[in-house]
Amino acid sequence: IEKLGAVNMMAIDQFDELEERHDFLTTQRQDLLDAIEATGEAIKRIDVTTRERFQDAFTAVNEHFQQTFETLFGGGRAGLVLLDETDVLESGIDIIAKPPGKRLQSIQLLSGGEKALTAMALMFAIFMYKPSPFCLLDEIDAPLDDANIGRFVEMLRGLQDRTQFVLVTHNRKTMEIANRLYGVTMEEPGVSKLISVEVN
C-alpha cells in the first residue's frame, strides 16, 4: 500500500473524461474512414461516367469532323485518333487529314490554308455535337482562297439556325451572308465613325 502511494480521489472523474474523449475521437475516426470510402466510391462512379461520356462525345465529334472536313475540302478523309486508348481521359488526340489528291498525314504536314480549313472543320464538328448560342470568329477566313471561302460560307449557313455568328472579316463573300454589317469609316482624318447596315 505504501508503494502504491496516495489514492487519487479524482481518478474516476478523470477516467470518465478520458473515456468520453476516446469515444469522441473513435467516432470521428470512423466518420473520416467512412467519408474516405464514400469519396473513393464517388470517384470511381465519376471516372466510369466520365469515360463513357468522353467516349460518346469523341465518337460523335469524330463522325461530324469527317463530314465537315469532306464539305470544306470537297472530299478527302479526316479523323481524330487517341494516342493512348488504355487511358482515354489522359490521352492526347492526334488529327489525321487527307485532303483530296494527297496521302493520309498528320495535320503538321499540311499547308497553312489546309491547316486552317482542318481547324475550321474540327470547330464546326464540335458545334454540331454541342451547339453554342453564340460564336465570335475573328478573321477566320483570311487564309482561304475564293473556292474555299464558298464552302466555308455554305458551312456557316448550315449552322446559322442554331448559332449566332459574329464575324470579323474583310472578305466580300463572307459579308454577303450576314444579316447586319458593321463597319468603321474615317470621313475626316483622325475621326472614326461606326456604320451599320441591315441586310434583308
Side-chain angles (χ1 to χ4, degrees):
I1 290 173
E2 285 176 1
K3 284 182 181 178
L4 287 173
V7 176
N8 182 0
M9 302 303 279
M10 301 294 295
I12 293 174
D13 292 336
Q14 290 174 350
F15 173 79
D16 289 340
E17 286 176 17
L18 289 173
E19 186 177 39
E20 185 179 338
R21 179 157 173 73
H22 176 266
D23 291 343
F24 172 75
L25 291 175
T26 302
T27 304
Q28 293 295 308
R29 179 180 180 275
Q30 190 57 49
D31 287 347
L32 285 172
L33 292 174
D34 293 343
I36 290 170
E37 186 178 348
T39 303
E41 290 298 319
I43 289 171
K44 285 179 188 173
R45 284 195 310 274
I46 290 169
D47 195 44
V48 169
T49 304
T50 305
R51 285 177 192 278
E52 289 172 358
R53 286 189 178 181
F54 175 80
Q55 199 63 52
D56 293 344
F58 181 80
T59 303
V61 168
N62 202 4
E63 290 171 5
H64 291 309
F65 180 47
Q66 173 63 37
Q67 295 166 3
T68 56
F69 186 88
E70 286 178 12
T71 302
L72 288 175
F73 277 89
R77 288 188 306 125
L80 304 173
V81 179
L82 289 172
L83 298 179
D84 180 11
E85 293 195 14
T86 58
D87 188 7
V88 295
L89 297 180
E90 297 295 327
S91 173
I93 297 174
D94 200 9
I95 299 172
I96 304 298
K98 181 189 177 297
K102 293 194 175 185
R103 62 184 177 82
L104 197 65
Q105 56 191 351
S106 172
I107 191 173
Q108 301 299 330
L109 303 174
L110 299 175
S111 70
E114 290 170 335
K115 282 182 185 176
L117 268 183
T118 305
M120 287 180 206
L122 181 57
M123 180 192 70
F124 288 138
I126 294 169
F127 268 90
M128 287 178 168
Y129 172 70
K130 191 97 172 166
S132 171
F134 180 79
C135 178
L136 173 65
L137 302 174
D138 186 6
E139 296 284 344
I140 192 172
D141 55 354
L144 304 181
D145 59 15
D146 285 344
N148 290 328
I149 287 283
R151 291 193 286 266
F152 165 71
V153 166
E154 287 306 312
M155 181 68 68
L156 279 180
R157 277 197 178 108
L159 295 170
Q160 273 184 324
D161 58 334
R162 292 179 285 180
T163 302
Q164 180 183 7
F165 289 96
V166 175
L167 293 156
V168 178
T169 185
H170 293 99
N171 190 288
R172 183 185 53 81
K173 279 190 174 181
T174 306
M175 290 181 204
E176 287 175 359
I177 68 164
N179 297 327
R180 182 179 289 268
L181 295 172
Y182 293 95
V184 178
T185 185
M186 194 179 290
E187 293 178 354
E188 304 172 28
V191 180
S192 296
K193 182 178 179 184
L194 181 67
I195 297 174
S196 70
V197 176
E198 188 165 348
V199 182
N200 291 327

